[in-house]
Amino acid sequence: EFFFYLMLGTMMIPEQVTIIPLYRIFREIGWVNTYLPLIVPSFFGVPLYIFLLRQFFRALPRELEDAARLDGANWWRVYWSIDLPLARPGLAVIAVFTFLQVWTNFFYPLIFLHSSDQATLALGLAAYASAHTQPWHLVMPVTVLMMVVPMVLFFFFQRQFFSGLAPIRFFVQ
């Protein structure tokens, strides 16, 4: 519980406060101007998503686990056969949130990617729009593309998305 609350406390620290130490660390290990600073830190978990999954797993009925244990299932079998399929809506919510965060991320690519051939779509769109004198007829199609992809993703996952948000209790029991 202590480490969970400590991890929740890290959500109160703004990203802009940690960017200089992060940049220095990534520069020392040679990750600046690569995609690694954009990919690897997410493997260690985002506090909001850990919180959402914890609350989702706490809302699952324990009677199913107890019944599986009476039938002789071990911890791994209970997790794989009961908990994980029931958590699919919660995982879909996190997948949609993660995609939206990565798709629209402007700050980290701006800091860590220095070459224009590695620019993300959001960074390239901003660079193109600022380099020319208001080329709205060229900027708007790319802006629509940046909106259409998340809308299509949400369209395919909307049932799991809303059913995944319903059982999450946002208060710690």
Side-chain angles (χ1 to χ4, degrees):
E1 291 290 319
F2 170 75
F3 291 111
F4 176 71
Y5 290 121
L6 182 68
M7 186 242 353
L8 283 182
T10 63
M11 290 174 56
M12 296 180 209
I13 301 171
E15 291 179 342
Q16 292 81 3
V17 172
T18 62
I19 196 66
I20 293 174
L22 271 176
Y23 184 83
R24 291 185 69 189
I25 290 169
F26 291 147
R27 186 187 66 206
E28 288 296 320
I29 60 177
W31 284 7
V32 172
N33 209 21
T34 66
Y35 292 117
L36 292 174
L38 306 177
I39 299 169
V40 173
S42 63
F43 288 130
F44 295 103
V46 177
L48 174 66
Y49 303 154
I50 294 170
F51 173 74
L52 287 175
L53 273 181
R54 179 180 187 259
Q55 295 305 103
F56 195 86
F57 276 111
R58 289 182 82 165
L60 294 178
R62 293 294 148 216
E63 292 82 15
L64 294 174
E65 282 187 22
D66 294 339
R69 289 196 193 281
L70 285 175
D71 289 340
N74 60 7
W75 177 85
W76 177 253
R77 185 67 177 174
V78 169
Y79 174 74
W80 187 257
S81 298
I82 296 172
D83 289 343
L84 199 59
L86 288 174
R88 189 176 298 145
L91 294 171
V93 167
I94 290 175
V96 169
F97 283 172
T98 302
F99 177 79
L100 289 175
Q101 180 183 2
V102 170
W103 184 257
T104 61
N105 194 358
F106 179 78
F107 184 62
Y108 282 108
L110 180 66
I111 300 296
F112 295 119
L113 300 178
H114 299 298
S115 63
S116 61
D117 60 333
Q118 290 182 329
T120 60
L121 190 58
L123 196 60
L125 178 63
Y128 184 78
S130 66
H132 298 84
T133 57
Q134 306 301 328
W136 294 114
H137 65 286
L138 300 175
V139 171
M140 293 312 285
V142 179
T143 305
V144 169
L145 174 70
M146 285 192 69
M147 289 179 357
V148 165
V149 172
M151 287 172 50
V152 168
L153 178 78
F154 179 76
F155 176 74
F156 284 118
F157 285 107
Q158 71 181 346
R159 178 175 293 148
Q160 290 86 7
F161 186 78
F162 287 117
S163 66
L165 285 177
I168 295 174
R169 295 182 206 139
F170 287 101
F171 298 104
V172 179
Q173 298 175 357

